[in-house]
Amino acid sequence: MALIDLPLLMKDKARGKRSAVTCALKCASQCAFGPCNHSDNPTFRDIASSALSRRTVLGGSTAALAIALGGTQGALADPGKGNGHGKGHGHGKGCGHGHGKSGALAPNGTKLRFEAIPPVEHSVDEFTVPEGFTWEPVIRWGDPLFADAPEFDWNAQSAEAQKQQFGYNNDYTEIQEIPGSHGKRAVMFVNHEYTNENLMLPPETDEDDFIEIGRAAHGLTVVELERKNKNVPYSYVQGAELNRRILLDDEFTLTGPAAGGDLLKTVEDHSGTTVLGTLGNCAGGLTPWGTLVSGEENFHGFFRTAATSEADARYGLADRATARGWESKYDRYDARNEGYENEPNRFGYIVEVDPFDPTSTPRKHTSLGRFKHEGANIIIAEDGRAVAYSGDDEAFDYLYKFVSRDTYIEGDKAHNMTLLENGDLSVARFSGDSPAGEIDGSGELPADGAFDGSGEWLPLLVGGESTVAGFSAEEVLVHTRLAADAVGPTKMDRCEDVEPSAHSRRVYVACTKNSDRGMDGNAAADEVNPRAENRDGHIIEIDEQGDQSSTTFAWNLLMVCGDPAQGDTTYFSGFPVDQVSPISCPDNLAFDSVGNLWISTDGQPGGIGYNDGLFRVSLEGEERGRVEQFLSVPRDGETCGPIIQDEDRTAFVAVQHPGEDGEWGAQNSYFPDYAGVGPKPSVVQVLPQRGAPGRH
Ligand code: FEO
Ligand code: CA
Ligand code: CA
Ligand code: CA
């Protein structure tokens, strides 16, 4: 049938090695149409020449920066260290990779000790964990959530059943213990970014079912978990009190300065304050007050528009049939319809959900701006205000920071739940401290031995008022990309998760990749995005220098990713490149209880050739930059939503789009049950085997 064929028709347009189906279903083949950011805002090189004077103004000499960063940058003290290529290391794929000596060491004293696994070839349909560990699915696509929800049946799917079952393509995942349960009960929040109808449904599926089952598999899930004790895996509890599915026709309340404005009104919502559903939810974060925030990312792929406005073009909204064809049935997905022109303006926000109140109305916060939010992560600043960091995950788009107007009050959840409704929004401009001529796009370190420098948060909205000439406050928050273009932020290599460490208060930014960097007239490599045709990504470390609400910061690159054994130019903060697990395309970030960084990846198969996985990275002392692979997900899958509970020696990941390159009748993956039927995206727990039977 025509609709389900659409993604496959996109094959010719997909670039790079990523699955054409992924491109079509996940981000509407955005890369096929080139970068959305054609703004001529000042490039990094243009401002690099003024970097030294700016750093002087900020008091940020190189020596001062080294001190500010806690003396953790070995490379600063030893210029050039760690810039090797790892050639001749003798690493054979799948046969171990310099990890042997690290297993017994537990960085920073974490209880989660493991021997790093070797990378796993991308054709392997297995979930791989370290020796002595096992894994169990906690919940799978289609698992019934409510007391009378039907069991999943591959051959008798319906929208009504799917609405009562766990959705597809779990991404951001968070687990909070239910108070008073003594570690035996928890509530889990999961979002469902998009659907793979090619794997889910037989090609002969009725067109209406194709649309409705797909829609019902999107949205959000809240579900309770239980376990007898910490030595056994969690199971989800069907019919539990907090279980909830938030679907595409459920109401969200818009908050903040843009709510109620003309840009957000439609013929179905004259108030401009109530939106049905959330789309493209990707990463997210746990707020200090116990709610969850989740980012609406590739929302543009769900809408067809007249594409006559500059704003539509800037967001990739187009006058093209969408991959799923919902606009053929619902007027609101076709913004060409009179009265629906603003419907796409109502997506692209940070949403907030209270998992402990099943009757609460989820909200979309316009204060944090509208873009392809990967997610948001929040830390309370020294002055008590809530600070949220959020990346716009598109090639050459920007990094943002929100600082709340009001301050956090410990224990006052109702008050704290208003913090994201009003505040200041800014966007990052990075300056490097090395001469532009030393950043040649190869990824080789400059002469000072570090990719580093200073930065500014350029204001977009302050005190509820726009600071951008020609933009109202409402326009700043709805057409945020256009407003940001006007102030000259740094064009980035796809900022995914941006996560502040509660231990060091430094902020980590996963730049996943950008194959267009320096290509076809696009922005050239610069010190913070130092590699042309960036296939493997990098991680930025930001230091707000004791004031999280500051308008300036210091930064350096923690790592430049890749596989040293394959000759990639990499950098791991000076740690020997022949002693790290190869890593590419960093996506989601998390921390363990002692401050180690954990990174999950999305896209390794198309670059370094291994399945995606979860990696631990030491951040302090001589171990800084040591990367150790903890797990590997099955074929075509992306590793999402890591949760590290190292005190209990356990971790969780969401396996998204396993077997994505397959199709109904010719599946590529049978994860997680391996029972002869196709894959189910699932949340998995990894824990010590402790002699119990299990998978390993
Ligand atoms: Fe949905 Fe940016 O990954
Ligand atoms: Ca430098
Ligand atoms: Ca992501
Ligand atoms: Ca991703």
Side-chain angles (χ1 to χ4, degrees):
M1 54 165 279
L3 285 171
I4 205 164
D5 284 345
L6 270 171
L8 304 177
L9 292 176
M10 302 303 290
K11 253 179 180 148
D12 291 342
K13 290 186 175 176
R15 292 175 57 191
K17 293 178 183 172
R18 182 135 206 180
S19 158
V21 177
T22 301
C23 288
L25 294 176
K26 185 165 197 161
C27 63
S29 300
Q30 188 62 60
C31 62
F33 302 99
C36 288
N37 190 354
H38 299 290
S39 69
D40 57 358
N41 85 59
T43 66
F44 193 101
R45 283 178 189 277
D46 294 336
I47 59 174
S49 59
S50 64
L52 282 175
S53 59
R54 181 174 297 113
R55 284 193 306 107
T56 303
V57 170
L58 301 178
S61 70
T62 302
L65 287 176
I67 293 165
L69 288 167
T72 57
Q73 299 176 88
L76 273 179
D78 185 4
K81 184 182 172 191
N83 192 30
H85 295 264
K87 283 174 182 161
H89 171 56
H91 162 58
K93 285 184 183 178
C95 68
H97 190 279
H99 55 277
K101 285 175 275 182
S102 66
L105 301 173
N108 293 342
T110 175
K111 290 179 181 170
L112 187 46
R113 293 162 169 263
F114 65 90
E115 185 91 4
I117 65 166
V120 177
E121 286 290 339
H122 68 85
S123 59
V124 175
D125 184 30
E126 291 175 10
F127 192 100
T128 307
V129 296
E131 188 72 32
F133 287 80
T134 186
W135 65 276
E136 287 291 337
V138 176
I139 193 166
R140 307 156 176 81
W141 166 53
D143 280 349
L145 292 169
F146 307 106
D148 51 2
E151 292 291 329
F152 180 78
D153 183 341
W154 277 99
N155 297 305
Q157 298 181 54
S158 72
E160 282 314 303
Q162 177 66 80
K163 286 176 184 173
Q164 303 172 68
Q165 297 166 338
F166 191 62
Y168 206 78
N169 272 345
N170 31 222
D171 195 314
Y172 174 62
T173 303
E174 188 57 82
I175 295 173
Q176 297 182 76
E177 185 175 329
I178 294 178
S181 69
H182 307 291
K184 294 182 179 177
R185 199 107 175 176
V187 61
M188 181 166 71
F189 172 91
V190 186
N191 63 27
H192 304 288
E193 185 174 9
Y194 69 105
T195 44
N196 286 94
E197 283 83 349
N198 55 315
L199 310 181
M200 298 165 63
L201 296 164
E204 61 272 20
T205 300
D206 170 76
E207 196 163 304
D208 195 63
D209 281 343
F210 176 84
I211 291 173
E212 293 306 333
I213 293 170
R215 270 171 32 90
H218 283 74
L220 313 171
T221 292
V222 179
V223 61
E224 287 189 39
L225 310 180
E226 69 176 359
R227 61 184 175 185
K228 285 200 176 76
N229 59 62
K230 292 181 177 179
N231 294 330
V232 297
Y234 273 118
S235 304
Y236 85 94
V237 184
Q238 185 175 353
E241 189 181 354
L242 299 179
N243 290 7
R244 184 178 189 186
R245 278 283 273 129
I246 297 174
L247 299 165
L248 300 195
D249 293 330
D250 289 339
E251 289 190 356
F252 284 66
T253 300
L254 285 158
T255 81
D262 287 344
L263 290 174
L264 297 181
K265 293 175 180 170
T266 72
V267 68
E268 290 182 20
D269 174 26
H270 296 289
S271 74
T273 59
T274 303
V275 184
L276 300 185
T278 182
L279 291 168
N281 282 259
C282 196
L286 172 66
T287 68
W289 47 94
T291 61
L292 290 316
V293 289
S294 176
E296 294 188 308
E297 192 191 27
N298 287 306
F299 65 92
H300 68 292
F302 298 91
F303 295 97
R304 183 168 189 163
T305 74
T308 52
S309 73
E310 186 186 4
D312 276 5
R314 189 65 181 80
Y315 284 85
L317 290 157
D319 187 1
R320 280 194 297 271
T322 68
R324 296 177 183 79
W326 296 350
E327 70 274 19
S328 67
K329 180 172 178 182
Y330 291 91
D331 287 346
R332 69 189 180 101
Y333 298 117
D334 192 338
R336 298 174 305 174
N337 290 322
E338 190 174 350
Y340 292 94
E341 295 85 351
N342 291 333
E343 186 68 8
N345 289 348
R346 292 143 61 87
F347 294 81
Y349 297 101
I350 291 295
V351 305
E352 183 178 7
V353 176
D354 182 359
F356 290 99
D357 182 359
T359 65
S360 59
T361 303
R363 293 169 298 153
K364 299 192 182 191
H365 295 302
T366 65
S367 271
L368 281 76
R370 173 173 167 266
F371 45 92
K372 296 181 188 175
H373 280 280
E374 170 69 14
N377 285 286
I378 295 164
I379 189 169
I380 304 300
E382 293 73 5
D383 63 7
R385 292 187 286 171
V387 177
Y389 298 91
S390 187
D392 186 347
D393 180 10
E394 182 136 24
F396 305 109
D397 259 291
Y398 310 131
L399 172 66
Y400 295 83
K401 177 165 115 171
F402 166 87
V403 181
S404 68
R405 180 190 66 191
D406 301 325
T407 53
Y408 174 78
I409 301 174
E410 182 71 33
D412 189 345
K413 186 173 178 181
H415 163 79
N416 295 332
M417 284 181 65
T418 67
L419 292 178
L420 301 183
E421 296 182 359
N422 291 286
D424 300 342
L425 185 65
S426 58
V427 63
R429 179 157 65 196
F430 293 82
S431 301
D433 68 1
S434 292
E438 292 184 12
I439 310 298
D440 62 5
S442 69
E444 295 279 0
L445 286 171
D448 70 352
F451 298 112
D452 61 348
S454 59
E456 297 170 79
W457 294 107
L458 308 169
L460 301 172
L461 193 84
V462 176
E465 302 292 329
S466 168
T467 57
V468 185
F471 286 78
S472 66
E474 183 185 3
E475 287 167 338
V476 166
L477 297 179
V478 177
H479 298 151
T480 307
R481 284 183 167 184
L482 291 174
D485 290 342
V487 302
T490 301
K491 296 176 176 177
M492 306 299 291
D493 284 352
R494 291 188 50 197
C495 296
E496 300 249 24
D497 239 349
V498 186
E499 188 103 13
S501 164
H503 275 75
S504 68
R505 303 185 69 80
R506 295 194 292 264
V507 181
Y508 294 83
V509 184
C511 292
T512 196
K513 65 184 295 187
N514 181 2
S515 54
D516 288 325
R517 171 69 61 182
M519 310 298 288
D520 303 328
N522 290 306
D526 55 38
E527 197 162 348
V528 75
N529 300 284
R531 201 159 42 188
E533 204 173 1
N534 183 5
R535 186 194 68 176
D536 297 309
H538 54 278
I539 306 268
I540 307 166
E541 182 180 63
I542 288 175
D543 192 325
E544 303 267 32
Q545 301 172 296
D547 177 7
Q548 219 75 30
S549 61
S550 173
T551 57
T552 60
F553 57 87
W555 66 270
N556 76 105
L557 295 196
L558 170 71
M559 70 172 72
V560 177
C561 302
D563 185 357
Q566 295 184 41
D568 298 336
T569 302
T570 57
Y571 170 68
F572 298 94
S573 287
F575 195 82
V577 300
D578 61 354
Q579 293 180 38
V580 298
S581 297
I583 182 171
S584 175
C585 300
D587 190 337
N588 298 140
L589 305 176
F591 293 95
D592 62 25
S593 70
V594 294
N596 295 305
L597 177 66
W598 291 68
I599 302 171
S600 65
T601 65
D602 171 20
Q604 290 199 157
I608 62 176
Y610 300 123
N611 277 339
D612 281 309
L614 178 65
F615 303 78
R616 179 173 66 193
V617 186
S618 307
L619 296 178
E620 307 295 342
E622 291 189 353
E623 298 288 298
R624 179 177 161 88
R626 179 198 288 270
V627 182
E628 299 165 285
Q629 184 166 5
F630 181 65
L631 63 79
S632 172
V633 300
R635 184 173 180 178
D636 306 343
E638 164 183 351
T639 316
C640 295
I643 301 166
I644 315 301
Q645 296 180 351
D646 56 312
E647 291 181 311
D648 295 335
R649 302 179 66 205
T650 190
F652 304 78
V653 290
V655 179
Q656 199 189 63
H657 58 76
E660 186 161 52
D661 277 349
E663 59 185 347
W664 185 275
Q667 301 282 10
N668 262 354
S669 172
Y670 298 96
F671 169 83
D673 297 312
Y674 297 100
V677 285
K680 292 180 177 178
S682 304
V683 176
V684 168
Q685 181 172 7
V686 179
L687 69 171
Q689 199 164 9
R690 291 192 170 101
R695 309 154 201 256
H696 56 93

